Amino acid sequence: MANYLEMEDSSFRSKAYRKVAEVLETLQESVEDMKDLEKIPGVGKHIASKIEEYLKTGFIRDYEKLKKETPIKLEEIIAVEGMGVKKAKVLYDKLKIKNLKDLEKAAKKNKIAKLEGFGEKTEKNILEGIAFLERSSGRFLLGKITPVVEDILDKLSNLKEVEKISTAGSFRRRKETVGDVDILIVSKKPEEVMTFFVSLPDVVKVWGHGTTKSSVRIKEGVDVDLRVVPAKSYGSALQYFTGSKEHNIITRRIAIGKELKLNEYGVFRGAKMIAGKTEKEVYRAIGLDWIPPELRESELDFKKIPKIIELKDIKGDLHCHSKWNGGNDSIAVIAKKAMKMGYEYIGISDHTQFLKIEHGLNEKQLLKQKKEIDKINLKFKIENLKFRVLWGCEANILTDGSIDVSDKVLEQMDYVIAGVHSALKIDKEKMTQRIIMAMENPNVDIIAHPSGRILQQRDEYQFDFDKILETAKKTETILEINSSPARLDLKDSNIRKAKKAGVKMVIGTDAHQISQLDLMNFGVSQARRGWAEKEDIINTQPLSILLQSFK
DNA sequence: GCCGTTTTCGGCCCGACTGTTTTCAGTCG
């Protein structure tokens, strides 16, 4: 509705709707359960009645009316860079353009350039925008682009001309997918840095090359912007470019409340600049403590900024696969790497028999695996090494909620992870019941990747997370935050819910080769985005306490 | 359409860039 209202120039009405849309997306409670919708920030009498109408009938008459007046695939059209709702409206009125296909056709036939307010450039940009959309979804997995971005950062920070450097944007906020990458630097010799930047070996295309901003595309397909900012504005620029957009709106509003102005150049009282050099100073100037980028997603509804978990708090990884089920490395090699990472323990959790495609282990193989683990642990003991390999598995929760390994074997293991790997499309009720039944199994300690989503591939399966939390709390079952870049499951909002419900979590990498043990940082970021503190995550605990948290 | 430790009316984040304009609207982050 916000989009359609913006089209009609109802700009403040549109903003009111847009704000509510954003609030609803990050709402912790489900709207169905709320007694008083007007308690939701931004929701007044009118919008409340529309939400009620939607909950009751599945439609909003006013929205249907708006769509009928301008029957176009608006979302599709405004996804094209440079296209907004105003332009979409003009194109519909003048050329009857309803969707992306119409838009592309009209642009190719040079019909758009002739319109008043449009031109040759706009038409060309539309075609390029459409081509970009077709090439990629427009967003990239954080985990996929991180290595190459870090490489670029390393090379830049090694230059003596670079005084300060940081990433910004969603990359710095550690969002699971990133649209483009922003890097900010302070430098007295921007020309030289920019020239170096645009000629890096990973660069496949240069969009712009200037002294304050250069843009390139790197071989992974993602665009990287490098900006040079003045040293005295570095903090405010970093704050501004890190976002999120919503966070910036909130911080600026706070500034206004204190008769200050906040922008990318600094914090100002009248014409006088009172802060800007560091982010800490900027937040302090508007009366806030520094906020970790992972918490800058939307509302600031914490009284005190939580002391969120850090990578160094992690004492071990409980989700890794060995050569036994087709992984790359032997248990001994995995243990060695884990030790090198400073861990106190590593849990081996190979797939079990149902999962043929992953060479799942049968009960006989599992018991044989235990002997190997015992041998390794004994060796560590003799060498007086304080390190332990734990014997676990990643068992399958079958369609009826049972586990594909017998309790007789499960109960001997140090811990058991269970996950849904099949029949993902069963209905909500059945899926919820299926997972609940698994949690009620006295041998199941951890639920792996609880929602089943694969980013950019498939949505989470239908299930009632609130009910899962209830049972997890009751049965003391731990929920996993899977670090695999395409999973990052639990997602941030569910981590917040779990924390609130007092349900413990574990961060696991799901590594199939030792290099993937380093994916832990992505799981930790995800936990941070969900406000998780050290105490919420069991693999921050030393071995003795960890073992107590298993059933 | 929503909101109020100055307000029930008069505001609503801010600046840059682009392409089209000749003073600005639309889009973006």
Side-chain angles (χ1 to χ4, degrees):
Chain A
M1 285 193 80
N3 281 338
Y4 283 104
L5 292 168
E6 194 179 333
M7 215 179 251
E8 297 178 342
D9 243 2
S10 306
S11 119
F12 289 115
R13 215 147 68 94
S14 162
K15 280 205 175 93
Y17 277 86
R18 199 176 300 282
K19 190 196 163 188
V20 172
E22 278 154 9
V23 169
L24 288 180
E25 277 189 341
T26 56
L27 205 64
Q28 295 295 298
E29 271 176 276
S30 73
V31 193
E32 287 93 333
D33 300 338
M34 296 193 71
K35 289 197 183 68
D36 189 1
L37 292 171
E38 288 185 48
K39 285 237 166 69
I40 303 171
V43 175
K45 211 171 67 186
H46 287 88
I47 295 186
S49 81
K50 293 201 166 64
I51 296 174
E52 266 164 32
E53 184 186 354
Y54 181 75
L55 289 176
K56 219 188 249 161
T57 66
F59 293 97
I60 297 172
R61 277 165 300 168
D62 284 351
Y63 178 50
E64 298 302 319
K65 207 173 125 205
L66 287 166
K67 280 200 291 189
K68 217 168 173 181
E69 278 163 18
T70 318
I72 62 177
K73 290 196 171 167
L74 193 54
E75 313 250 302
E76 198 173 286
I77 293 170
I78 62 176
V80 178
E81 180 111 23
M83 285 295 297
V85 292
K86 294 275 174 64
K87 282 184 182 163
K89 175 82 159 79
V90 174
L91 292 178
Y92 172 69
D93 288 343
K94 297 269 156 80
L95 298 176
K96 291 273 161 280
I97 287 172
K98 289 182 178 171
N99 52 41
L100 203 58
K101 265 220 174 83
D102 294 348
L103 182 65
E104 188 172 13
K105 242 191 260 168
K108 279 190 175 149
K109 286 188 187 159
N110 302 103
K111 285 184 174 169
I112 291 173
K114 296 192 186 87
L115 296 176
E116 200 186 328
F118 292 77
E120 293 288 334
K121 271 270 179 64
T122 310
E123 193 170 76
K124 195 170 144 257
N125 285 342
I126 287 174
L127 285 173
E128 276 176 11
I130 293 173
F132 179 75
L133 279 181
E134 282 166 357
R135 264 201 315 283
S136 69
S137 65
R139 294 191 75 82
F140 302 83
L141 290 180
L142 178 70
K144 200 173 161 202
I145 61 167
T146 291
V148 50
V149 172
E150 278 179 351
D151 186 51
I152 292 173
L153 281 175
D154 275 351
K155 285 179 177 147
L156 285 171
S157 46
N158 281 335
L159 295 179
K160 62 179 190 305
E161 290 86 3
V162 173
E163 292 165 32
K164 285 182 175 172
I165 182 163
S166 173
T167 57
S170 50
F171 186 88
R172 184 168 179 237
R173 299 198 312 277
R174 309 283 289 165
K175 225 174 138 72
E176 48 276 72
T177 62
V178 173
D180 58 16
V181 178
D182 300 297
I183 302 174
L184 296 193
I185 62 164
V186 173
S187 173
K188 289 201 181 73
K189 297 195 168 166
E191 292 87 355
E192 288 164 39
V193 180
M194 288 301 192
T195 304
F196 176 81
F197 174 64
V198 299
S199 34
L200 283 169
D202 289 332
V203 168
V204 293
K205 189 160 183 174
V206 178
W207 301 113
H209 179 185
T211 54
T212 57
K213 184 188 169 192
S214 292
S215 305
V216 301
R217 177 164 297 164
I218 57 175
K219 62 173 191 280
E220 272 66 18
V222 66
D223 290 342
V224 181
D225 290 349
L226 181 66
R227 292 166 199 276
V228 181
V229 299
K232 63 172 185 180
S233 297
Y234 180 69
S236 38
L238 196 52
Q239 197 276 335
Y240 167 76
F241 283 110
T242 298
S244 66
K245 191 170 180 290
E246 291 71 27
H247 180 78
N248 287 354
I249 291 172
I250 290 163
T251 48
R252 281 171 179 169
R253 208 175 276 145
I254 291 170
I256 292 169
K258 297 190 155 43
E259 295 191 341
L260 299 169
K261 188 171 73 169
L262 169 62
N263 59 29
E264 57 264 53
Y265 303 107
V267 183
F268 298 87
R269 178 175 287 126
K272 189 167 173 266
M273 179 165 164
I274 62 166
K277 205 169 172 191
T278 66
E279 264 194 342
K280 207 170 172 183
E281 176 185 300
V282 168
Y283 279 103
R284 183 46 51 84
I286 60 169
L288 300 175
D289 286 329
W290 182 80
I291 300 172
E294 292 92 334
L295 302 184
R296 300 185 199 170
E297 225 38 75
S298 55
E299 78 276 43
L300 300 175
D301 52 3
F302 31 75
K303 288 181 196 74
K304 208 174 125 244
I305 296 164
K307 194 177 175 324
I308 51 180
I309 181 177
E310 294 176 49
L311 183 59
K312 66 174 171 52
D313 294 329
I314 298 292
K315 295 209 162 63
D317 192 343
L318 296 178
H319 195 157
C320 29
H321 296 272
S322 75
K323 224 171 186 169
W324 281 76
N325 79 165
N328 234 30
D329 301 296
S330 71
I331 297 176
V333 168
I334 295 171
K336 207 172 134 199
K337 158 89 179 179
M339 233 183 288
K340 219 171 130 195
M341 290 170 76
Y343 286 169
E344 291 179 19
Y345 46 83
I346 186 90
I348 303 299
S349 57
D350 281 329
H351 285 291
T352 55
Q353 51 202 4
F354 174 82
L355 214 56
K356 301 279 188 301
I357 195 166
E358 295 268 16
H359 312 287
L361 308 184
N362 61 33
E363 298 185 355
K364 214 169 134 193
Q365 290 169 308
L366 282 170
L367 293 167
K368 205 170 145 201
Q369 188 182 44
K370 177 183 194 305
K371 287 194 180 138
E372 180 175 327
I373 290 175
D374 284 346
K375 226 184 266 171
I376 293 172
N377 280 328
L378 184 64
K379 191 163 157 264
F380 289 154
K381 208 164 191 181
I382 294 166
E383 290 170 12
N384 211 10
L385 291 169
K386 283 216 163 19
F387 185 88
R388 167 102 171 258
V389 180
L390 297 173
W391 179 40
C393 70
E394 182 182 8
N396 300 290
I397 305 173
L398 303 177
T399 316
D400 64 0
S402 65
I403 305 295
D404 68 332
V405 179
S406 73
D407 286 329
K408 202 176 76 212
V409 174
L410 293 181
E411 67 191 12
Q412 299 177 54
M413 310 188 91
D414 290 318
Y415 69 101
V416 172
I417 304 178
V420 169
H421 295 103
S422 60
L424 307 174
K425 294 203 189 286
I426 61 176
D427 69 43
K428 188 171 173 177
E429 192 79 6
K430 277 193 186 133
M431 186 59 94
T432 307
Q433 210 43 51
R434 175 180 180 186
I435 300 170
I436 285 178
M437 196 174 143
M439 289 192 286
E440 283 170 346
N441 182 316
N443 296 310
V444 170
D445 302 292
I446 297 168
I447 300 296
H449 39 71
S451 84
R453 73 170 182 182
I454 305 284
L455 290 164
Q456 302 179 330
Q457 278 181 45
R458 69 169 193 239
D459 283 336
E460 52 188 50
Y461 35 67
Q462 299 289 313
F463 74 127
D464 185 334
F465 189 65
D466 293 330
K467 284 200 179 131
I468 299 295
L469 282 180
E470 240 170 71
T471 311
K473 176 79 184 160
K474 201 176 70 200
T475 59
E476 295 187 340
T477 309
I478 298 150
L479 299 184
E480 179 183 67
I481 300 171
N482 189 295
S483 306
S484 174
R487 285 198 185 265
L488 295 172
D489 178 9
L490 304 170
K491 63 181 175 192
D492 53 3
S493 57
N494 281 348
I495 295 169
R496 280 178 68 181
K497 278 187 176 178
K499 178 185 165 67
K500 212 168 154 192
V503 170
K504 296 286 179 207
M505 292 166 275
V506 60
I507 307 177
T509 59
D510 210 343
H512 285 67
Q513 54 192 64
I514 53 170
S515 65
Q516 291 176 344
L517 291 174
D518 292 323
L519 297 175
M520 185 59 81
N521 74 87
F522 296 107
V524 170
S525 299
Q526 188 74 356
R528 286 167 64 83
R529 292 171 52 78
W531 304 13
E533 301 182 70
K534 190 176 166 184
E535 295 69 36
D536 301 313
I537 308 293
I538 63 151
N539 53 327
T540 61
Q541 301 302 315
L543 183 66
S544 57
I545 299 180
L546 175 88
L547 291 175
Q548 285 169 30
S549 41
F550 298 140
K551 298 178 196 166

